[in-house]
């Protein structure tokens, strides 16, 4: 158990819909990262937050947005869902969010868009 | 981001040591070498990381070449639970620690 929690575990929804994925980091960790894992693209970095502020952005679509709240939990919002958004979404946390700090991953949310 | 090269797959027998190589010839002086693994149906798991010196922890050892252009993850006694995809990743500069996952090495452990 990494100490990072993600809800829900599974999500099935229809195209065009909007969903919210939630992540609670390990106690004391200030930085949260979101990653997407799909069969064709592998594991890809989406976005990083540090203490409530966006710090780095990766291959995140404009239809996707995220935020980190004062209690440090984070939410990833996916809207206008397409079939290709079906994937595993992982959240990870680290103490200070720099290149010398390791990340601890949650169990993921499996999103299926039908 | 500096690139890493790993073998696509490796095999080992249970209770034997495993040496997983990683080449990173374009590594910069401030890049950290991280290893993560992903077991089937699970999220990635941190294994170990280092900058210049060899590192040991309860899971593994990391041997870094003197010129830092390659490194080796060492599992001292492989168990069936170590069967996973192992990723060697460089982080540094303004990356803020974001992980760029490649294809990794699929490790198969035989009983």
């Amino acid at each position: 158990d990494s100490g990072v929690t993600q809800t829900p575990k599974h999500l099935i929804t229809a195209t065009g819909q909007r969903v919210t994925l939630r992540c609670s980091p390990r106690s004391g960790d200030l930085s949260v990262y979101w990653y997407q894992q799909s069969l064709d693209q592998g594991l890809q970095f989406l976005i990083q937050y540090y203490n409530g502020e966006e710090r780095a952005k990766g291959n995140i679509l404009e239809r996707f947005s995220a935020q980190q709240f004062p209690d440090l939990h984070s939410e990833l919002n996916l809207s206008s869902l397409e079939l290709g958004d079906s994937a595993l979404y992982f959240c990870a946390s680290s103490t200070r969010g720099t290149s010398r700090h390791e990340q601890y991953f949650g169990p993921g949310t499996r999103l299926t868009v039908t | 981001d500096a690139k890493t090269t790993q073998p696509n797959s490796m095999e080992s027998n249970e209770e034997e040591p495993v040496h997983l190589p990683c080449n990173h010839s374009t590594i910069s002086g401030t890049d950290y070498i991280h290893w993560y693994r992903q077991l089937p149906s699970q999220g990635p798991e941190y294994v170990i990381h280092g900058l210049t010196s060899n590192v040991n922890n309860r899971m593994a050892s990391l041997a870094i070449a003197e010129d830092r252009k390659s490194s080796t993850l060492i599992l001292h006694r492989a168990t069936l639970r170590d069967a996973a995809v192992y990723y060697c990743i460089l982080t540094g500069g303004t990356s803020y620690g974001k992980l760029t996952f490649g294809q990794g090495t699929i490790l198969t452990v035989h009983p």
Side-chain angles (χ1 to χ4, degrees):
Chain A
D1 183 358
S2 67
V4 178
T5 60
Q6 290 188 248
T7 56
K9 271 189 169 177
H10 303 277
L11 202 46
I12 302 174
T13 189
T15 54
Q17 295 298 305
R18 172 189 166 95
V19 297
T20 298
L21 312 185
R22 184 188 167 103
C23 167
S24 292
R26 290 188 321 159
S27 176
D29 284 359
L30 297 178
S31 190
V32 166
Y33 300 79
W34 286 96
Y35 294 86
Q36 178 193 57
Q37 185 171 31
S38 60
L39 281 173
D40 54 346
Q41 298 284 341
L43 262 163
Q44 287 200 306
F45 166 72
L46 295 178
I47 197 164
Q48 179 203 5
Y49 280 83
Y50 176 78
N51 206 19
E53 301 284 327
E54 181 185 302
R55 178 174 267 186
K57 231 170 180 174
N59 299 323
I60 187 166
L61 299 170
E62 284 192 16
R63 300 183 285 108
F64 296 1
S65 65
Q67 59 184 131
Q68 186 180 28
F69 294 87
D71 68 352
L72 301 177
H73 90 272
S74 178
E75 292 181 357
L76 179 66
N77 300 296
L78 316 176
S79 61
S80 303
L81 285 167
E82 302 174 359
L83 295 177
D85 297 328
S86 296
L88 268 166
Y89 291 84
F90 291 106
C91 163
S93 73
S94 84
T95 51
R96 293 290 180 267
T98 72
S99 58
R100 69 182 185 91
H101 292 98
E102 66 271 24
Q103 295 178 32
Y104 294 89
F105 284 75
T109 293
R110 181 175 293 278
L111 174 67
T112 303
V113 182
T114 62
Chain B
D1 296 333
K3 190 174 163 52
T4 63
T5 304
Q6 300 177 250
N8 289 334
S9 62
M10 290 186 64
E11 297 188 18
S12 173
N13 294 317
E14 210 175 1
E15 299 190 6
E16 289 184 357
V18 181
H19 290 237
L20 296 163
C22 181
N23 286 319
H24 28 78
S25 58
T26 59
I27 191 170
S28 75
T30 56
D31 284 343
Y32 283 80
I33 303 161
H34 287 252
W35 284 82
Y36 287 80
R37 70 182 185 182
Q38 188 172 22
L39 280 63
S41 304
Q42 295 189 26
E45 177 184 28
Y46 167 74
V47 178
I48 199 166
H49 76 289
L51 183 62
T52 56
S53 306
N54 294 343
V55 185
N56 300 296
N57 66 21
R58 62 174 182 80
M59 284 182 70
S61 295
L62 176 59
I64 301 172
E66 203 167 322
D67 63 5
R68 301 215 319 132
K69 293 186 176 182
S70 66
S71 61
T72 303
L73 177 70
I74 302 165
L75 306 179
H76 296 286
R77 287 182 74 226
T79 68
L80 296 178
R81 197 197 170 275
D82 291 322
V85 181
Y86 286 79
Y87 298 98
C88 169
I89 301 169
L90 303 184
T91 66
T94 57
S95 71
Y96 294 114
K98 72 169 186 181
L99 301 174
T100 302
F101 289 85
Q103 296 303 309
T105 296
I106 300 171
L107 175 65
T108 302
V109 179
H110 299 288

